[in-house]
Each structure stands twice: as structure tokens, then as C-alpha cells.
Amino acid sequence: MGEDRVTRRWNAETWPIAAAMIPFPGRLPDGRLVQDAGPEVWARDLTDVADAGFDAVDPTDSWLRVADLDPAQRADFIAICGDLGLSVPAISTSRRSVIDPQHGAEYLAYGHRVLDVAAEMGVGHVSFGFFGPLTPEQMARLWFWTTEGVKNPSDPDTYRLAIARTRELGDHAERLGIRISLEMYEDTYIGTARDAVRFMQDLDHPALRLNMDIGNLIRLHRPVEPWAEMIELCAPYAGYWHVKNYYRMEDPSSGQILTHPAPLLGGTINYRAAIRRVLELGFDSPFLVEHYGGDGLGVCARNRDYIRGILAGRTVLND
């Protein structure tokens, strides 16, 4: 199921580039959760992924929580992926922060289950984040990032708790031979490049890396660090990487900022330059391609091909 990280040599054709499942809703029109809908529904969505030319998928937990499937259900999921030729190089979690004021301990326990299931499935990478649930106002917007959401507390005790619980997950991951990547997201402890570097330095853990999802930041309707500066600061810590792009329009005279989802090739971030830079610094993790709006899966497929073009002629020994 997962990518064998021992003496595996990746090139442009074999580098794992996984489809995110965010184009697929976690709830069906009849009100059922995909979690409870069973193999027929999972197979339908995963067949779309395979038909789009993907050979890898990340079962993003906003779609399906593989760690909360029972063993028989998980066996069904693994069999479906195998039949469709889909590997699972990584598992991403979303909005299950270990410092959530109500559910932090519950989400910490969930994080440990994700790591155990990842190891069981041979998955080498897991993504966690500190971002909270969408607010009612965000859910009412066309694009949820156009209004502010939940912010991480500024008090030192919660920051220390974030460090302690993340290290706990890191220790678990290290024992299992798994790498954790922490997803950059606005108004969290890794919500700017400088904050992310500080947090990684405070963590100082060999199993913990950064998920440099700077698309989460470029899309904000507020001033942000230049994308190239973000890459330069964060690339030395780069791990499993969610990549997506946005058009960003700024009017200095009025202060108005507008953003819209874009393909990797066409948005504000120059991913050719960004990917080449992290490769120079030894990047050796899978990619996840994401896109909101429109035919998200179709855009992700084109983004995958664009990345393979950038990787042409490059090889990494992943160990």
C-alpha cells in the first residue's frame, strides 16, 4: 500500500504524487457520511481518481478516516486501492488539532491511531495541523478563507502544550519509521514562515518536518510574506508537501486584496522555482496535489503532470 522508503530511488515517473480527496465531499446527498457509506461509495470515488491517471492517493480524513475504520473495513479499503493500482504514500488529517480547547486530548489519541494505521498499511508520511474547525461564517462563504477563522491562543502555556503533544506524536512516528509533516496554516503557530521556522527549531525532532502548504497563506485577503521568501525560509524543513496555487490580486491604492484558486502553472507562486529550490536542499518526500472549486480532480491531474515535468532528469534516493 505505502511507499517502501528503504533504498527506493525516485525519478520523474515514479516520484509519489498523490491525489487529495478534497474534491469529494465527506457527506453524501442523502445525509450519510462517506465514513459510514461503505466500500461501494469509496470505490466509486477512488475509481474517479484512478481514471484521472493517478497511481497514488491520500485518503484525506475530511473524506474518510481510515484510522477509524474497523479491520474488515480497512481491508476493504486497501483491496479497492490495490485493485485500482493506487498506492497510499501518505495520510493527511484536517481540523483535528491536538490543542483544540474542547477535543485536544481526543485528537491526540486519534493522531496516535493514524500513526499506527499508517504503519500497518506501510504508509511513510502523515500530515497534522493546528487549524481548527470552520466557523459558521466561513461555511457560509463561497471561499472559506475570505474571512477569519479560529486562531491559536497566544499564551505560552498553550504553545508549550503544542510542542509537547507534537513531540509525543513525533516520538511515536520515529519508533514506527514514519515522518510527520506539520501543515502551515494561517493564525496557527506555523501560520507564517518565520513562525514555522521558530516552531520547528523549538521542536527539534528528527521525525517532524514542515508541510509547506504556502497556498494556504497566499490565498488570504490580507498582507502576507512573499512566496519566494516563505520557500527560502521553510525549505530546509520541508517534508510531505501539499501543493496548490492561487491568483492573488493586490490594489495598493485601496488596499484591496482578492484571491482565487489557480492551477500550479498559472498562479502567483512559481512552483517551478519553488520545487527546484527544495530539491537543491535534499527534498525527498511525496507531493499531494490539491485544488478547490471547479473540476478539482481534473486540475489536480494537470498539476501532477506539471510537477513531473519539473522533476524530469532528477533522481533521489529515498531512505
Side-chain angles (χ1 to χ4, degrees), residues 10-251:
W10 292 342
N11 56 33
E13 290 72 38
T14 61
W15 204 300
I17 303 176
M21 294 305 287
I22 60 174
F24 300 91
R27 188 177 294 274
L28 302 175
D30 62 10
R32 289 179 299 155
L33 293 175
V34 169
Q35 187 77 18
D36 304 322
E40 183 178 347
V41 171
W42 311 338
R44 180 197 64 193
D45 292 350
L46 291 169
T47 296
D48 283 347
V49 171
D51 287 348
F54 281 96
D55 58 11
V57 65
D58 177 334
T60 320
D61 73 357
S62 57
W63 175 71
L64 182 71
R65 300 187 314 277
V66 292
D68 286 341
L69 298 176
D70 65 36
Q73 291 172 321
R74 201 151 53 243
D76 286 337
F77 173 80
I78 291 170
I80 292 166
C81 290
D83 289 345
L84 292 170
L86 294 171
S87 70
V88 181
I91 297 172
S92 292
T93 69
S94 177
R95 306 192 185 280
R96 291 174 171 82
S97 169
V98 296
I99 56 167
D100 183 279
Q102 291 183 300
H103 305 290
E106 173 190 341
Y107 292 157
L108 176 62
Y110 170 72
H112 284 293
R113 291 200 304 277
V114 172
L115 291 170
D116 284 334
V117 166
E120 173 191 308
M121 295 172 58
V123 174
H125 302 262
V126 172
S127 178
F128 294 110
F130 298 115
F131 47 110
L134 293 174
T135 67
E137 184 178 3
Q138 285 181 307
M139 289 188 286
R141 296 285 182 102
L142 173 61
W143 304 122
F144 61 84
W145 57 84
T146 59
T147 188
E148 290 188 348
V150 175
K151 299 182 179 182
N152 284 174
S154 59
D155 64 283
D157 287 344
T158 307
Y159 184 87
R160 285 192 289 268
L161 180 65
I163 291 288
R165 287 183 168 175
T166 305
R167 280 183 179 153
E168 179 182 325
L169 291 172
D171 289 344
H172 187 181
E174 187 175 25
R175 292 193 299 271
L176 297 172
I178 292 172
R179 289 183 190 171
I180 290 174
S181 292
L182 301 174
E183 182 174 352
M184 296 177 70
Y185 199 96
E186 77 267 15
D187 299 324
T188 70
Y189 295 137
I190 48 177
T192 69
R194 285 166 177 78
D195 286 346
V197 169
R198 175 198 171 200
F199 194 83
M200 295 306 297
Q201 290 174 344
D202 287 345
L203 280 174
D204 190 25
H205 196 291
L208 298 170
R209 308 294 290 171
L210 264 184
N211 175 351
M212 297 192 311
D213 192 348
I214 64 172
N216 287 338
L217 308 180
I218 287 294
R219 70 190 179 190
L220 298 176
H221 287 197
R222 65 175 92 159
V224 296
E225 298 157 308
W227 70 263
E229 189 174 295
M230 295 186 206
I231 291 293
E232 195 62 30
L233 288 168
C234 296
Y237 305 92
Y240 178 50
W241 192 2
H242 293 184
V243 291
K244 55 181 176 285
N245 213 346
Y246 292 83
Y247 298 110
R248 181 177 174 90
M249 292 155 282
E250 301 181 7
D251 181 0

